Amino acid sequence: MRFEAISWERLAEAVADRVDRDVPGDGSDWLKVGVDGAPAAPGAEFADRIADALRLRGRSVLVVATGGFLRPASLRFEHGKQDPDAFYTDWYDTGALWREVFGPLEPGGSGKVLPDLWNPVTDRATRSPAVPLPPGGVLVVHGPFLLGHWYPFDLTLHLRLSPGALARGTDQPWTLPAFRRYEQEVGPTDTADAVIRADDPRRPAWTGFDQ
């Protein structure tokens, strides 16, 4: 896999160019972009850069973090608070993401997306109102373990970290086996439309869209 050095600004513009050329694969009125990466990678910042680049082109954009769709603590910690397998399979509420984020953007959907559902600090529902995304708008979802769930993304970007960079940037080292399992079972570098190497956040490099 060959990588080309690039700035985050040029990366965001390249993604916006690709989005402008794409049409929703499911026949709906909304394009859906996934920014996949471990918390140690700058996924939130990159998603915001993409959103800014698209808004400058006149596109409506909604950015959603999967961190707002964690399951209640009673389910996340059923097997203990530091179980990497539970972190991988049980922490993120994939059903809620399908229902509240992707469902409204299906063909004939309302376009009203719930931006978050659960606050892990208070362990209570956020009660956030749904946000309308007009036809022609773009949904950008960011978070770990996005690939392998058959989410209806039109474009997927994987922020790749070497094992060393992942270990250095991870505040909770007990989660590291979950990311190794993700690599083995899903193979995000082979699955994503483009891979971005983010070991040094000041100097990203990417494969382009023809990896």
Side-chain angles (χ1 to χ4, degrees):
M1 184 175 292
R2 297 181 63 182
F3 289 88
E4 174 189 355
I6 192 171
S7 68
W8 289 111
E9 292 80 5
R10 287 176 54 209
L11 262 173
E13 287 296 328
V15 174
D17 284 343
R18 174 65 178 262
V19 168
D20 271 347
R21 296 195 303 268
D22 278 355
V23 296
D26 60 2
S28 71
D29 294 320
W30 302 275
L31 276 157
K32 306 160 192 76
V33 178
V35 179
D36 174 66
E45 295 88 345
F46 185 42
D48 286 339
R49 286 183 183 273
I50 294 170
D52 289 343
L54 287 167
R55 290 183 182 117
L56 287 174
R57 297 162 184 249
R59 304 292 291 265
S60 296
V61 186
L62 178 61
V63 178
V64 172
T66 60
F69 288 85
L70 294 178
R71 289 191 169 98
S74 60
L75 298 177
R76 299 199 311 274
F77 303 146
E78 184 177 2
H79 302 288
K81 292 187 176 182
Q82 295 189 356
D83 186 304
D85 289 324
F87 175 66
Y88 181 52
T89 61
D90 300 334
W91 275 44
Y92 293 91
D93 195 339
T94 56
L97 282 164
W98 272 105
R99 183 178 66 252
E100 306 292 353
V101 177
F102 296 109
L105 303 183
E106 292 177 347
S110 68
K112 296 180 179 179
V113 175
L114 198 65
D116 50 56
L117 179 64
W118 200 259
N119 185 327
V121 176
T122 62
D123 202 35
R124 295 179 182 275
T126 58
R127 302 188 183 279
S128 297
V131 177
L133 187 62
V138 181
L139 172 73
V140 180
V141 179
H142 66 87
F145 313 135
L146 280 184
L147 307 178
H149 293 290
W150 301 102
Y151 292 139
F153 290 122
D154 298 290
L155 185 66
T156 53
L157 310 157
H158 173 63
L159 297 178
R160 175 185 174 185
L161 295 174
S162 67
L166 178 62
R168 288 191 299 272
T170 298
D171 294 333
Q172 298 174 308
W174 63 267
T175 64
L176 292 174
F179 296 106
R180 289 196 292 269
R181 180 177 170 186
Y182 181 56
E183 288 285 342
Q184 294 167 358
E185 295 184 1
V186 177
T189 56
D190 298 321
T191 304
D193 293 304
V195 178
I196 298 152
R197 190 172 61 199
D199 285 5
D200 183 345
R202 299 166 299 177
R203 297 180 179 86
W206 79 320
T207 59
F209 290 115
D210 296 319
Q211 58 167 314

